[in-house]
């Protein structure tokens, strides 16, 4: 069983090793990256954070990036190609934790450091740094059900079937649901974390005329609000992520009551940092680091003030406004937006 390591304790251990004189030459490493969702704003920010952190670190000579739309079988092939390329570390966002386990095991046996970001994997040799996905869903769902007065029908818009982040979020959602027995799921859909697909799903649902009292989304959110506005549908409470478009809507769309739960794509940059720490000999005592989410809502004055402080119209609407993670990323805003890695 993996134990959770706090950020503070991991950093303390890293600092101790650093003080013992562990060091590395600049531009020494080749980092492999494997990602299976392309065209999704969150994943694009994740890739840009990886590039920016690799560049800012001064320790990475080259990135070898496999970034495409594929399934677990395709990702397993990509991982094996990265092993053949003899990269020093692989940072992976897993399509399916069990489906790529063999490849991660092979990487470890080849002496390659493996770090999973955003989602957990089942390979015990891999390190994991992830947003706390179960807590992400629980915070948002509990807030939503409270806004619904503890009763009514909710439209449940999940992520990608089989993805461990979706499975963890489902646990959190159902944990909150169990606390509100008078809240029922009107319909459950998988958006695949794709904007077009999610918007069509909400439009199709609205066309049925089925009444709902709230909408929970797995981070595909601004297009859902767009659909409500376009169809002049009742503006029920909506929960989404800290994507720039949705955060802006929470301060600008008349009648919208909603909450953004943080889920920074910059976790990709944190994964590069963790991989470099391990390569430099600063191995953490435990395998898993969780970054806990915050909830920003527009139903209170304090919540509105928080949203006003984080809104960033300069970002792509699909990018989380949390473009960095304290203690884990060192790049600038210009660097992540430029989306350039070493040698680019």
């Amino acid at each position: 069983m993996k134990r959770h390591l706090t950020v503070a304790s991991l950093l303390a251990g890293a600092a101790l090793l650093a003080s013992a004189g562990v060091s590395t030459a600049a531009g020494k490493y080749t980092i492999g990256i494997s990602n299976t969702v392309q065209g999704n704003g969150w994943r694009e920010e994740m890739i840009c954070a990886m590039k920016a952190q690799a560049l800012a670190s001064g320790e990475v000579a080259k990135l070898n990036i496999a970034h495409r739309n594929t399934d677990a079988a395709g990702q397993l092939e990509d991982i094996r190609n990265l092993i053949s390329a003899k990269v020093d570390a692989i940072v992976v966002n897993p399509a399916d934790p069990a489906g790529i386990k063999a490849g991660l095991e092979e990487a470890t046996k080849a002496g390659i450091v493996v770090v999973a970001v955003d989602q957990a994997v089942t390979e015990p040799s891999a390190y994991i740094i992830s947003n706390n996905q179960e807590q992400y869903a629980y915070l948002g769902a509990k807030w939503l059900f409270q806004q619904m007065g503890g009763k009514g029908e909710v439209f449940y818009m999940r992520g990608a079937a089989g993805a461990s982040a979706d499975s963890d979020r489902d646990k959190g959602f159902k944990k909150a649901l169990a606390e509100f027995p008078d809240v029922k799921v009107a319909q459950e859909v998988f958006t695949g974390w794709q904007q077009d697909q999610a918007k069509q799903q909400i439009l199709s649902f609205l066309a049925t005329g089925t009444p709902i009292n709230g909408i929970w989304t797995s981070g595909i959110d601004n297009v859902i609000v767009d659909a409500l506005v376009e169809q002049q549908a009742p503006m029920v409470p909506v929960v989404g992520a800290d994507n720039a478009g949705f955060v802006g809507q929470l301060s600008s769309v008349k009648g919208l009551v909603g909450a953004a739960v943080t889920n920074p794509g910059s976790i990709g940059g944190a994964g590069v940092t963790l991989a470099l720490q391990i390569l430099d000999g600063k191995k953490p005592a435990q395998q898993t680091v969780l970054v806990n989410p915050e909830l920003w809502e527009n139903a209170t004055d304090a919540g509105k003030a928080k949203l006003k402080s984080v809104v960033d119209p300069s970002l792509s609407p699909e990018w989380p406004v949390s473009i960095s993670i304290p203690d884990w990323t060192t790049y600038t805003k210009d660097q992540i937006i430029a989306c350039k890695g070493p040698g680019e």
Side-chain angles (χ1 to χ4, degrees):
M1 178 180 290
K2 292 183 175 65
R3 292 169 290 173
H4 294 165
L5 183 67
T6 65
V7 172
S9 60
L10 179 61
L11 292 175
L16 179 63
L17 283 162
S19 67
V22 179
S23 62
T24 186
K28 176 179 178 180
Y29 300 120
T30 297
I31 305 293
I33 292 171
S34 174
N35 176 54
T36 61
V37 179
Q38 194 174 38
N40 168 282
W42 192 98
R43 295 292 184 107
E44 297 302 328
E45 182 184 272
M46 180 193 76
I47 293 292
C48 290
M50 290 172 167
K51 290 183 176 184
Q53 188 57 40
L55 182 64
S57 74
E59 294 190 80
V60 180
K62 180 183 177 183
L63 292 174
N64 189 332
I65 302 176
H67 174 42
R68 62 180 176 131
N69 288 316
T70 190
D71 57 9
Q75 186 167 45
L76 183 59
E77 178 185 356
D78 289 344
I79 290 168
R80 285 174 169 155
N81 287 338
L82 292 172
I83 295 170
S84 296
K86 300 186 185 303
V87 298
D88 296 294
I90 296 174
V91 182
V92 56
N93 192 329
D96 177 86
I100 63 168
K101 183 179 185 299
L104 303 186
E105 182 180 12
E106 291 164 21
T108 299
K109 288 180 178 178
I112 297 169
V113 170
V114 176
V115 174
V117 298
D118 181 42
Q119 310 186 76
V121 290
T122 57
E123 170 51 42
S125 66
Y127 293 86
I128 299 164
I129 183 163
S130 173
N131 300 305
N132 189 330
Q133 302 295 354
E134 183 173 340
Q135 186 68 2
Y136 167 94
Y138 176 75
L139 281 179
K142 182 175 181 178
W143 179 90
L144 178 63
F145 302 156
Q146 288 171 336
Q147 291 298 312
M148 292 166 55
K151 61 183 179 180
E153 302 285 329
V154 61
F155 190 36
Y156 181 29
M157 305 190 75
R158 297 180 61 173
S164 58
D166 178 79
S167 298
D168 287 344
R169 289 181 180 185
D170 186 53
K171 292 176 186 175
F173 181 89
K174 287 178 177 171
K175 177 183 175 182
L177 197 64
E179 296 175 9
F180 295 86
D182 293 327
V183 173
K184 308 298 180 184
V185 174
Q187 187 172 332
E188 176 179 328
V189 296
F190 287 94
T191 67
W193 286 310
Q194 297 293 338
Q195 297 277 87
D196 291 348
Q197 181 170 320
K199 187 168 184 181
Q200 187 54 55
Q201 287 168 332
I202 187 65
L203 288 173
S204 296
F205 182 80
L206 292 174
T208 68
T210 304
I212 51 172
N213 306 99
I215 302 172
W216 184 93
T217 79
S218 190
I220 301 297
D221 36 44
N222 64 300
V223 293
I224 304 307
V225 177
D226 288 343
L228 294 175
V229 172
E230 291 165 12
Q231 298 300 306
Q232 298 183 325
M235 194 60 71
V236 298
V238 179
V239 169
D242 59 331
N243 301 315
F246 184 59
V247 168
Q249 288 173 329
L250 290 173
S251 299
S252 63
V253 175
K254 185 178 180 180
L256 173 63
V257 176
V261 185
T262 59
N263 183 53
S266 45
I267 197 72
V272 170
T273 296
L274 180 56
L276 291 172
Q277 287 180 353
I278 297 166
L279 287 170
D280 288 347
K282 306 166 191 174
K283 293 183 180 180
Q286 286 86 27
Q287 298 292 115
T288 300
V289 179
L290 293 179
V291 177
N292 286 317
E294 297 178 12
L295 184 141
W296 306 334
E297 45 75 29
N298 69 356
T300 65
D301 289 341
K304 290 174 183 177
K306 177 62 180 180
L307 287 165
K308 185 178 180 180
S309 73
V310 298
V311 68
D312 191 344
S314 72
L315 295 176
S316 164
E318 295 180 48
W319 272 40
V321 297
S322 307
I323 59 174
S324 62
I325 300 175
D327 300 321
W328 284 103
T329 60
T330 58
Y331 51 75
T332 65
K333 180 179 178 180
D334 287 343
Q335 284 176 319
I336 188 174
I337 290 175
C339 202
K340 300 290 186 183
E344 291 189 57

